[in-house]
Amino acid sequence: MNVGIIGGGTMGSGIAQVAATSGCKVKLYDTNQAALDKAKAALEKILNRLIEKERIDNAEKLRIQSNISYVDNLKDLADSNLTIEAIIENLDIKKKVFSELESYVANDCIIASNTSSLSMASIAASLKNPKRCVGIHFFNPAPLMKLVEVIPAIQTSYETLEKAIDTIASWKKTVAVAKDTPGFIVNRVARPFYGEALRIYEEGLADFGTIDTAMKEVGGFRMGPFELMDFIGNDVNYTVTETVFKEFYYDPRYKPSFTQKRFAEAGYLGRKSGIGYYEYDENGKRVIQSDSEESHNKELSTQIFERILVMLINEAADALFLNIASAEDIDNAMTKGVNYPKGLLAWADEKGIDWCVSKLDELYSEYHEDRYRCSPLLRKMNRENKTFF
Ligand code: NAI
């Protein structure tokens, strides 16, 4: 299969590696020659590291490298069976590239976008044949993260969707099909992990370290919310939150936080700027400060964990309620896209649906904010004594 990748930055170069490893002939296109040089050098480094770890041998490295060519003309993608666009997140620029691309490729070439936040319907509308357009959303780093969300636009044909799913599955990825709605699955369902943690901090209930410790030690998450926000970058994470909030017509459940906004404005972006919620040395390694006494308070840690968990469960249940994806895909998305220790719906079953409903009702009766409203699905399941799986 011939695969054309448009944009050779972080995502495009990772997707090229995935496709080439699976035996596709890949052309990686970028308008910036320096980006192509960087992508080529980065791949060489990654493959050498895999050789050192004895995951691949030299012949495999050469095979993968020989499957990728680096091109600086969009016309070079003319013989593609599938193209995946991973350029700047700007609708007008994407639309321009898509309509030019369509004039070069064959009629049956699938034209996909790796967009995180734009609507697939709006991107597909730039094509004469929008039925061939679909969202194929990888996670960073693409070669390591198992999950890929596949997003049909309302214009997408069934055939395009099936072909996209089959191709991505053949690249040994786990596919989760998501409705064309803001944040798709992962970037929607994960919002309370950050938002509720920030809210707990803003209320003065606990400091960053205590909240992170609670999520790691009680919840089994690999990183706490503040560590993760520092890792992603407070600018990037804040922008995603703000976009999701606006796109959901200002639903208070997705309200961004002033704390994070101020951190972004101050340039306290996290690891990449040396300071965020924590401090980092020049190699991006955390400068460890001693733990506060609070973080060893087991009861407080459990309260924090349960509050964030129940908000995540509520979001996952509501995504299912609104048919954003199937229960299996929602749980896979969170365990394979962002490494959650358990699927949220399976976690809800384990905790008990009645526990989830009463926890949410407790929060609602304390705050009287719409943010804490319980999903109608959880309430119905509780009445009917049902579980997700
Ligand atoms: P990036 O900034 O690392 O790379 C973008 C590349 O596109 C650059 O090399 C740039 O030279 C090139 N480019 C810009 N305009 C172009 C044009 N008109 N034609 C050809 N090449 C052009 O960006 P990144 O992070 O790889 O993101 C790309 C896309 O993937 C965006 O839509 C983003 O929302 C999405 N995405 C990003 C994730 C991330 O964690 N970085 C995760 C999942 C999706």
Side-chain angles (χ1 to χ4, degrees):
M1 176 183 240
N2 294 337
V3 179
I5 311 275
I6 305 153
T10 310
M11 296 309 293
S13 56
I15 299 167
Q17 185 191 334
V18 173
T21 303
S22 292
C24 296
K25 293 282 173 213
V26 179
K27 284 182 188 160
L28 185 60
Y29 160 74
D30 203 294
T31 41
N32 179 357
Q33 185 57 44
L36 292 177
D37 294 343
K38 199 173 150 202
K40 198 170 179 178
L43 180 65
E44 166 89 20
K45 221 169 137 190
I46 290 167
L47 296 177
N48 284 342
R49 217 177 308 137
L50 291 177
I51 291 177
E52 271 166 36
K53 289 188 188 164
E54 295 183 356
R55 300 255 192 88
I56 60 168
D57 58 17
N58 202 47
E60 174 69 353
K61 172 187 162 184
L62 295 177
R63 186 187 70 85
I64 296 169
Q65 283 177 319
S66 69
N67 278 343
I68 307 182
S69 47
Y70 299 83
V71 301
D72 59 6
N73 194 330
L74 194 56
K75 261 191 197 157
D76 291 330
L77 306 190
D79 63 354
S80 304
N81 308 106
L82 164 69
T83 62
I84 303 176
E85 164 277 314
I87 64 167
I88 183 171
E89 192 76 329
N90 175 305
L91 182 61
D92 290 335
I93 299 177
K94 284 193 201 281
K95 281 186 154 198
K96 223 173 125 235
V97 171
F98 270 48
S99 68
E100 186 186 340
L101 176 71
E102 192 178 30
S103 69
Y104 304 136
V105 295
N107 278 334
D108 58 354
C109 171
I110 294 182
I111 299 183
S113 173
N114 185 51
T115 183
S116 293
S117 64
L118 300 168
S119 99
M120 280 314 304
S122 66
I123 295 176
S126 62
L127 298 178
K128 284 193 188 117
N129 173 14
K131 287 185 184 167
R132 58 157 89 193
C133 190
V134 66
I136 299 185
H137 183 222
F138 285 79
F139 290 79
N140 189 15
L144 295 185
M145 302 308 287
K146 287 295 282 174
L147 182 78
V148 176
E149 293 177 334
V150 172
I151 306 106
I154 47 173
Q155 302 99 316
T156 307
S157 70
Y158 185 71
E159 198 194 351
T160 302
L161 176 62
E162 287 285 284
K163 267 201 218 162
I165 293 172
D166 290 349
T167 305
I168 299 305
S170 78
W171 294 357
K172 302 201 175 64
K173 296 287 181 191
T174 302
V175 173
V177 178
K179 224 186 213 178
D180 186 15
T181 48
F184 310 131
I185 306 172
V186 170
N187 282 332
R188 170 197 194 125
V189 174
R191 299 272 47 89
F193 190 68
Y194 317 108
E196 204 53 27
L198 284 155
R199 171 69 188 253
I200 289 168
Y201 165 77
E202 284 174 354
E203 283 183 33
L205 295 177
D207 57 24
F208 307 137
T210 304
I211 299 169
D212 280 351
T213 305
M215 295 313 283
K216 288 188 292 183
E217 288 184 3
V218 188
F221 286 82
R222 281 197 206 167
M223 287 173 105
F226 294 97
E227 286 171 329
L228 190 53
M229 286 185 275
D230 267 0
F231 182 76
I232 296 168
N234 275 307
D235 50 344
V236 173
N237 191 261
Y238 179 79
T239 306
V240 176
T241 309
E242 199 182 40
T243 308
V244 170
F245 180 53
K246 282 185 188 157
E247 294 274 322
F248 273 109
Y249 307 110
Y250 304 99
D251 184 330
R253 260 206 338 244
Y254 307 106
K255 196 154 117 189
S257 134
F258 280 123
T259 299
Q260 192 175 30
K261 185 157 197 252
R262 295 294 176 261
F263 270 69
E265 287 167 347
Y268 289 11
L269 307 180
R271 209 170 275 225
K272 63 186 173 190
S273 67
I275 183 162
Y277 303 112
Y278 302 102
E279 280 177 45
Y280 301 86
D281 67 18
E282 56 284 357
N283 300 317
K285 238 182 131 217
R286 171 116 169 252
V287 180
I288 298 289
Q289 291 106 343
S290 58
D291 281 355
S292 68
E293 279 189 19
E294 262 186 348
S295 67
H296 300 292
N297 178 338
K298 187 88 184 122
E299 199 187 315
L300 178 64
S301 288
T302 303
Q303 268 173 23
I304 292 167
F305 159 66
E306 289 185 343
R307 177 163 160 183
I308 296 174
L309 177 68
V310 84
M311 290 295 278
L312 286 166
I313 288 173
N314 198 37
E315 204 50 56
D318 218 51
L320 181 64
F321 176 60
L322 296 170
N323 289 308
I324 304 307
S326 68
E328 288 76 15
D329 282 2
I330 291 172
D331 270 15
N332 270 336
M334 305 318 283
T335 52
K336 303 211 161 103
V338 271
N339 289 327
Y340 280 17
K342 254 178 247 177
L344 292 167
L345 300 175
W347 221 333
D349 283 348
E350 198 181 294
K351 284 284 197 185
I353 306 299
D354 53 345
W355 178 87
C356 301
V357 173
S358 63
K359 226 35 211 164
L360 286 158
D361 283 349
E362 253 171 51
L363 284 165
Y364 188 84
S365 72
E366 179 159 351
Y367 294 105
H368 284 275
E369 284 177 56
D370 210 23
R371 165 190 187 91
Y372 297 107
R373 68 186 189 268
C374 176
S375 168
L377 179 62
L378 284 174
R379 220 177 269 295
K380 183 165 182 274
M381 286 173 63
N382 192 33
R383 264 198 321 270
E384 296 173 357
N385 225 346
K386 287 201 171 132
T387 54
F388 287 106
F389 297 105

